[in-house]
Amino acid sequence: MLYVKAPAKINLTLDVLYKRPDGFHEVEMVMTTVDLADRVGLKNLNNGQILIHSSSNFVPDDQRNLAYQAAKLLQDTYNIKDGVSITIDKQIPVAAGLAGGSSDAAATLKGLNILWNLNLSIDELAELGAKIGSDVSFCVYGGTAIARGRGEKIEHIATPPSCWVVLAKPTIGVSTAAVYGGLNIDGVEHPNTMQMRQAIESKDYELVCDTVSNVLESVTLKLHPEVAVIKEQMSRFGADAVLMSGSGPTVFGLVQNKARVSRIVNGLRGFCDEVYAVRMLGERDILA
Protein backbone atom coordinates (compact mmCIF):
# COMPACT_ATOMS: atom_id res chain seq x y z
CA MET A 1 0.00 0.00 0.00
CA LEU A 2 1.34 3.42 -1.00
CA TYR A 3 0.21 6.31 1.23
CA VAL A 4 -0.04 9.94 0.13
CA LYS A 5 -0.88 12.95 2.32
CA ALA A 6 -3.76 15.14 1.10
CA PRO A 7 -3.71 18.52 2.93
CA ALA A 8 -6.64 20.93 3.23
CA LYS A 9 -6.51 24.47 1.85
CA ILE A 10 -7.90 27.80 2.97
CA ASN A 11 -8.64 30.90 0.90
CA LEU A 12 -6.88 34.00 2.21
CA THR A 13 -8.71 35.88 -0.55
CA LEU A 14 -11.47 34.82 -2.92
CA ASP A 15 -12.63 37.15 -5.67
CA VAL A 16 -15.18 36.49 -8.42
CA LEU A 17 -14.55 38.73 -11.43
CA TYR A 18 -17.32 37.81 -13.90
CA LYS A 19 -19.40 34.96 -15.29
CA ARG A 20 -17.77 33.34 -18.31
CA PRO A 21 -19.50 32.26 -21.54
CA ASP A 22 -18.96 28.60 -20.51
CA GLY A 23 -21.12 29.15 -17.40
CA PHE A 24 -18.20 29.07 -14.95
CA HIS A 25 -17.10 32.10 -12.95
CA GLU A 26 -13.71 33.73 -13.47
CA VAL A 27 -12.01 33.77 -10.07
CA GLU A 28 -8.85 35.19 -8.55
CA MET A 29 -7.90 33.85 -5.14
CA VAL A 30 -4.95 33.36 -2.84
CA MET A 31 -4.90 29.83 -1.43
CA THR A 32 -2.55 28.12 1.00
CA THR A 33 -2.33 24.65 2.52
CA VAL A 34 -2.79 23.89 6.22
CA ASP A 35 -1.67 20.95 8.34
CA LEU A 36 -5.00 19.13 8.37
CA ALA A 37 -4.86 16.24 5.93
CA ASP A 38 -6.57 13.11 4.69
CA ARG A 39 -4.44 10.01 4.21
CA VAL A 40 -4.93 8.31 0.86
CA GLY A 41 -3.79 4.69 0.51
CA LEU A 42 -3.35 3.13 -2.94
CA LYS A 43 -3.02 -0.59 -3.70
CA ASN A 44 -2.63 -1.89 -7.23
CA LEU A 45 -5.28 -4.27 -8.59
CA ASN A 46 -4.67 -6.39 -11.70
CA ASN A 47 -8.36 -6.62 -12.65
CA GLY A 48 -8.79 -3.01 -13.86
CA GLN A 49 -11.34 -2.12 -11.15
CA ILE A 50 -11.33 1.14 -9.18
CA LEU A 51 -12.52 0.60 -5.61
CA ILE A 52 -13.08 3.35 -3.04
CA HIS A 53 -13.05 2.76 0.73
CA SER A 54 -13.55 5.75 3.02
CA SER A 55 -13.62 6.21 6.78
CA SER A 56 -16.53 8.64 6.29
CA ASN A 57 -20.05 7.57 5.34
CA PHE A 58 -20.54 10.97 3.68
CA VAL A 59 -17.94 10.25 0.98
CA PRO A 60 -19.31 8.59 -2.20
CA ASP A 61 -17.64 5.29 -3.16
CA ASP A 62 -18.44 5.46 -6.88
CA GLN A 63 -17.70 7.64 -9.94
CA ARG A 64 -18.95 10.74 -8.06
CA ASN A 65 -15.80 10.54 -5.93
CA LEU A 66 -13.01 12.81 -7.25
CA ALA A 67 -10.31 10.28 -6.34
CA TYR A 68 -12.18 7.70 -8.44
CA GLN A 69 -12.32 10.22 -11.30
CA ALA A 70 -8.57 10.83 -10.98
CA ALA A 71 -7.80 7.11 -11.28
CA LYS A 72 -10.22 6.70 -14.21
CA LEU A 73 -8.70 9.70 -16.01
CA LEU A 74 -5.22 8.18 -15.76
CA GLN A 75 -6.53 4.77 -16.92
CA ASP A 76 -8.25 6.30 -19.95
CA THR A 77 -5.49 8.78 -20.86
CA TYR A 78 -2.59 6.32 -20.68
CA ASN A 79 -4.41 3.07 -21.51
CA ILE A 80 -3.70 1.55 -18.10
CA LYS A 81 -5.05 -1.97 -17.66
CA ASP A 82 -4.39 -2.14 -13.91
CA GLY A 83 -6.92 -1.03 -11.33
CA VAL A 84 -6.53 0.39 -7.86
CA SER A 85 -8.03 0.12 -4.39
CA ILE A 86 -8.18 3.62 -2.89
CA THR A 87 -8.53 3.95 0.89
CA ILE A 88 -9.34 7.45 2.17
CA ASP A 89 -8.80 8.13 5.86
CA LYS A 90 -10.87 11.33 6.20
CA GLN A 91 -9.61 13.98 8.60
CA ILE A 92 -10.74 17.01 6.55
CA PRO A 93 -14.45 17.72 7.10
CA VAL A 94 -16.64 16.82 4.11
CA ALA A 95 -18.26 19.60 2.02
CA ALA A 96 -16.50 22.22 4.12
CA GLY A 97 -14.88 24.64 1.66
CA LEU A 98 -11.45 23.12 2.45
CA ALA A 99 -10.94 21.20 -0.84
CA GLY A 100 -10.89 17.78 0.85
CA GLY A 101 -12.22 15.91 -2.19
CA SER A 102 -9.94 17.84 -4.55
CA SER A 103 -6.92 17.10 -2.36
CA ASP A 104 -7.82 13.38 -2.32
CA ALA A 105 -7.94 13.48 -6.14
CA ALA A 106 -4.56 15.25 -6.28
CA ALA A 107 -3.04 12.68 -3.90
CA THR A 108 -4.44 9.89 -6.09
CA LEU A 109 -2.86 11.41 -9.21
CA LYS A 110 0.51 11.73 -7.46
CA GLY A 111 0.37 8.26 -5.93
CA LEU A 112 -0.70 6.48 -9.13
CA ASN A 113 2.04 8.31 -11.01
CA ILE A 114 4.42 6.26 -8.84
CA LEU A 115 2.38 3.05 -8.60
CA TRP A 116 1.79 2.84 -12.35
CA ASN A 117 5.28 4.10 -13.33
CA LEU A 118 3.87 6.94 -15.47
CA ASN A 119 6.82 9.31 -14.90
CA LEU A 120 4.64 12.39 -15.33
CA SER A 121 5.89 15.78 -14.17
CA ILE A 122 4.05 17.71 -11.47
CA ASP A 123 2.94 20.22 -14.14
CA GLU A 124 1.46 17.39 -16.23
CA LEU A 125 -0.37 16.06 -13.17
CA ALA A 126 -1.74 19.55 -12.42
CA GLU A 127 -2.97 19.85 -16.01
CA LEU A 128 -4.80 16.54 -15.65
CA GLY A 129 -6.18 17.70 -12.32
CA ALA A 130 -7.85 20.69 -13.99
CA LYS A 131 -10.07 18.22 -15.90
CA ILE A 132 -11.40 16.83 -12.61
CA GLY A 133 -12.22 19.95 -10.59
CA SER A 134 -11.36 23.60 -10.05
CA ASP A 135 -9.16 23.12 -6.95
CA VAL A 136 -7.37 19.93 -8.01
CA SER A 137 -4.51 21.67 -9.86
CA PHE A 138 -3.69 23.75 -6.79
CA CYS A 139 -3.87 20.67 -4.56
CA VAL A 140 -1.39 18.83 -6.82
CA TYR A 141 1.17 21.55 -6.13
CA GLY A 142 0.18 22.51 -2.58
CA GLY A 143 1.91 25.48 -1.00
CA THR A 144 0.68 29.01 -1.58
CA ALA A 145 -0.55 30.39 -4.90
CA ILE A 146 -2.76 32.83 -6.73
CA ALA A 147 -5.32 30.79 -8.65
CA ARG A 148 -7.11 32.29 -11.63
CA GLY A 149 -9.47 31.12 -14.39
CA ARG A 150 -11.75 28.49 -12.83
CA GLY A 151 -8.98 27.99 -10.28
CA GLU A 152 -6.72 25.95 -12.58
CA LYS A 153 -4.25 28.71 -13.56
CA ILE A 154 -1.69 28.63 -10.78
CA GLU A 155 0.93 31.26 -9.95
CA HIS A 156 3.16 30.18 -7.06
CA ILE A 157 4.02 32.81 -4.47
CA ALA A 158 5.99 32.96 -1.22
CA THR A 159 5.08 31.17 2.00
CA PRO A 160 2.87 33.24 4.35
CA PRO A 161 4.15 34.33 7.77
CA SER A 162 3.95 31.49 10.28
CA CYS A 163 0.81 31.26 12.41
CA TRP A 164 -1.85 28.97 13.83
CA VAL A 165 -5.11 28.39 11.97
CA VAL A 166 -8.27 27.56 13.92
CA LEU A 167 -10.92 25.90 11.74
CA ALA A 168 -14.58 25.59 12.74
CA LYS A 169 -17.21 23.84 10.63
CA PRO A 170 -20.89 24.02 11.59
CA THR A 171 -23.08 20.96 11.02
CA ILE A 172 -24.67 22.28 7.84
CA GLY A 173 -24.11 21.71 4.14
CA VAL A 174 -23.64 24.58 1.71
CA SER A 175 -24.53 24.41 -1.98
CA THR A 176 -21.67 25.98 -3.92
CA ALA A 177 -23.98 26.45 -6.91
CA ALA A 178 -26.53 28.29 -4.74
CA VAL A 179 -23.83 30.56 -3.30
CA TYR A 180 -22.42 31.51 -6.70
CA GLY A 181 -25.98 31.89 -8.02
CA GLY A 182 -26.80 34.35 -5.24
CA LEU A 183 -23.73 36.52 -5.80
CA ASN A 184 -24.15 40.04 -7.16
CA ILE A 185 -20.65 40.69 -8.50
CA ASP A 186 -21.24 44.43 -8.89
CA GLY A 187 -22.57 44.80 -5.35
CA VAL A 188 -19.62 43.40 -3.38
CA GLU A 189 -16.34 44.81 -2.15
CA HIS A 190 -13.65 42.95 -4.06
CA PRO A 191 -10.53 41.63 -2.30
CA ASN A 192 -7.17 43.27 -2.91
CA THR A 193 -5.29 40.26 -4.28
CA MET A 194 -2.10 42.17 -5.02
CA GLN A 195 -2.00 43.62 -1.50
CA MET A 196 -2.31 40.09 -0.10
CA ARG A 197 0.57 38.99 -2.31
CA GLN A 198 2.66 41.93 -1.08
CA ALA A 199 1.76 41.16 2.56
CA ILE A 200 2.80 37.52 2.15
CA GLU A 201 6.04 38.29 0.32
CA SER A 202 7.06 40.88 2.93
CA LYS A 203 6.02 38.49 5.76
CA ASP A 204 3.75 41.24 7.12
CA TYR A 205 1.36 39.26 9.33
CA GLU A 206 -0.74 42.27 10.31
CA LEU A 207 -1.27 43.23 6.66
CA VAL A 208 -2.23 39.63 5.84
CA CYS A 209 -4.85 39.83 8.60
CA ASP A 210 -6.10 43.19 7.35
CA THR A 211 -6.40 41.94 3.76
CA VAL A 212 -8.25 38.60 4.13
CA SER A 213 -11.47 38.80 2.12
CA ASN A 214 -14.01 36.49 0.44
CA VAL A 215 -16.77 37.81 -1.84
CA LEU A 216 -18.84 34.65 -1.30
CA GLU A 217 -19.15 35.34 2.43
CA SER A 218 -21.99 37.83 2.07
CA VAL A 219 -24.14 35.23 0.25
CA THR A 220 -23.40 32.30 2.57
CA LEU A 221 -23.94 34.39 5.72
CA LYS A 222 -27.43 35.32 4.49
CA LEU A 223 -28.28 31.71 3.61
CA HIS A 224 -26.75 30.28 6.80
CA PRO A 225 -26.74 32.65 9.82
CA GLU A 226 -24.89 29.94 11.84
CA VAL A 227 -21.74 30.83 9.91
CA ALA A 228 -22.03 34.47 11.01
CA VAL A 229 -22.37 33.34 14.64
CA ILE A 230 -19.14 31.32 14.41
CA LYS A 231 -17.34 34.28 12.81
CA GLU A 232 -18.48 36.59 15.61
CA GLN A 233 -17.47 34.14 18.34
CA MET A 234 -14.06 33.47 16.82
CA SER A 235 -13.37 37.21 16.73
CA ARG A 236 -14.66 37.63 20.28
CA PHE A 237 -12.38 34.87 21.57
CA GLY A 238 -9.35 36.67 20.13
CA ALA A 239 -8.48 35.52 16.59
CA ASP A 240 -6.36 38.07 14.70
CA ALA A 241 -8.36 37.64 11.47
CA VAL A 242 -11.50 35.62 10.71
CA LEU A 243 -12.81 34.54 7.30
CA MET A 244 -14.97 31.88 5.66
CA SER A 245 -13.06 29.50 3.38
CA GLY A 246 -14.31 28.84 -0.16
CA SER A 247 -18.10 28.83 -0.39
CA GLY A 248 -18.22 27.70 3.26
CA PRO A 249 -19.38 26.76 5.70
CA THR A 250 -15.99 26.42 7.43
CA VAL A 251 -14.66 29.56 9.13
CA PHE A 252 -10.98 29.97 9.92
CA GLY A 253 -9.14 32.27 12.29
CA LEU A 254 -5.48 33.27 12.08
CA VAL A 255 -3.69 33.39 15.43
CA GLN A 256 -0.04 34.07 16.27
CA ASN A 257 -0.29 33.84 20.06
CA LYS A 258 -0.25 30.13 20.93
CA ALA A 259 -1.79 30.72 24.37
CA ARG A 260 -4.84 32.24 22.68
CA VAL A 261 -5.38 29.19 20.42
CA SER A 262 -6.70 26.89 23.16
CA ARG A 263 -9.01 29.64 24.45
CA ILE A 264 -10.50 30.08 20.96
CA VAL A 265 -10.85 26.31 20.41
CA ASN A 266 -12.49 25.73 23.81
CA GLY A 267 -14.81 28.70 23.32
CA LEU A 268 -15.92 27.53 19.89
CA ARG A 269 -16.70 23.99 21.01
CA GLY A 270 -19.87 25.37 22.58
CA PHE A 271 -21.07 26.48 19.15
CA CYS A 272 -19.55 23.91 16.85
CA ASP A 273 -18.64 20.19 16.96
CA GLU A 274 -15.84 20.22 14.40
CA VAL A 275 -13.04 22.52 15.60
CA TYR A 276 -9.36 22.10 14.71
CA ALA A 277 -6.18 23.97 15.57
CA VAL A 278 -3.50 23.45 12.92
CA ARG A 279 -0.44 25.18 11.52
CA MET A 280 -0.25 26.90 8.18
CA LEU A 281 1.89 24.78 5.82
CA GLY A 282 2.24 27.12 2.87
CA GLU A 283 5.14 25.31 1.16
CA ARG A 284 4.88 23.42 -2.12
CA ASP A 285 4.82 19.65 -2.26
CA ILE A 286 7.72 17.95 -3.92
CA LEU A 287 6.90 15.20 -6.37
CA ALA A 288 8.17 11.89 -5.01
Side-chain angles (χ1 to χ4, degrees):
M1 184 83 81
L2 174 68
Y3 289 99
V4 186
K5 190 176 178 182
K9 64 83 187 167
I10 56 173
N11 295 87
L12 295 174
T13 67
L14 194 165
D15 198 6
V16 180
L17 305 178
Y18 55 86
K19 192 165 185 181
R20 298 160 24 147
D22 61 7
F24 290 100
H25 288 82
E26 185 76 13
V27 299
E28 183 177 72
M29 48 196 177
V30 178
M31 297 196 284
T32 192
T33 44
V34 297
D35 197 16
L36 174 67
D38 293 344
R39 191 170 182 241
V40 178
L42 303 165
K43 184 178 179 183
N44 197 65
L45 300 176
N46 56 17
N47 58 8
Q49 282 188 297
I50 299 169
L51 303 177
I52 302 283
H53 311 277
S54 173
S55 61
S56 169
N57 294 330
F58 299 107
V59 174
D61 61 0
D62 54 21
Q63 61 270 20
R64 294 171 296 165
N65 187 292
L66 297 185
Y68 181 105
Q69 292 175 31
K72 188 76 171 71
L73 180 62
L74 288 178
Q75 278 184 335
D76 293 347
T77 305
Y78 298 100
N79 196 26
I80 304 295
K81 301 304 181 192
D82 284 346
V84 63
S85 173
I86 304 172
T87 303
I88 304 172
D89 177 16
K90 287 299 292 181
Q91 300 299 318
I92 304 169
V94 178
L98 299 172
S102 296
S103 197
D104 294 343
T108 301
L109 289 173
K110 289 189 284 188
L112 289 179
N113 188 41
I114 298 165
L115 206 61
W116 290 345
N117 297 310
L118 297 173
N119 298 313
L120 299 170
S121 70
I122 197 160
D123 293 332
E124 288 172 312
L125 292 174
E127 198 172 317
L128 286 163
K131 298 177 181 179
I132 302 165
S134 299
D135 289 334
V136 180
S137 296
F138 169 76
C139 292
V140 166
Y141 292 115
T144 309
I146 301 173
R148 299 183 176 91
R150 291 189 296 113
E152 84 285 5
K153 296 175 182 173
I154 305 297
E155 180 187 356
H156 305 287
I157 60 174
T159 305
S162 177
C163 68
W164 290 89
V165 181
V166 178
L167 301 162
K169 180 190 176 285
T171 52
I172 55 170
V174 170
S175 163
T176 300
V179 172
Y180 273 95
L183 179 65
N184 175 11
I185 294 170
D186 298 325
V188 295
E189 185 177 338
H190 292 274
N192 190 335
T193 307
M194 290 307 103
Q195 183 170 291
M196 179 59 78
R197 178 184 192 150
Q198 177 192 339
I200 289 170
E201 290 180 346
S202 61
K203 298 286 189 260
D204 187 335
Y205 177 72
E206 287 186 6
L207 188 58
V208 168
C209 290
D210 289 343
T211 312
V212 296
S213 180
N214 179 348
V215 296
L216 299 181
E217 243 192 13
S218 58
V219 183
T220 304
L221 295 188
K222 280 179 192 165
L223 293 172
H224 303 283
E226 308 96 314
V227 179
V229 170
I230 291 171
K231 276 199 74 180
E232 287 161 15
Q233 296 304 325
M234 202 177 277
S235 294
R236 189 167 71 84
F237 292 130
D240 300 321
V242 179
L243 193 71
M244 184 184 80
S245 188
S247 56
T250 300
V251 172
F252 69 86
L254 304 182
V255 192
Q256 270 199 323
N257 183 335
K258 187 179 179 182
R260 209 180 290 164
V261 172
S262 57
R263 188 174 81 203
I264 296 169
V265 168
N266 291 335
L268 286 170
R269 289 222 163 105
F271 298 88
C272 192
D273 290 335
E274 293 188 88
V275 184
Y276 309 85
V278 297
R279 298 291 291 180
M280 202 179 281
L281 285 177
E283 299 200 353
R284 280 183 66 178
D285 282 354
I286 55 167
L287 193 57

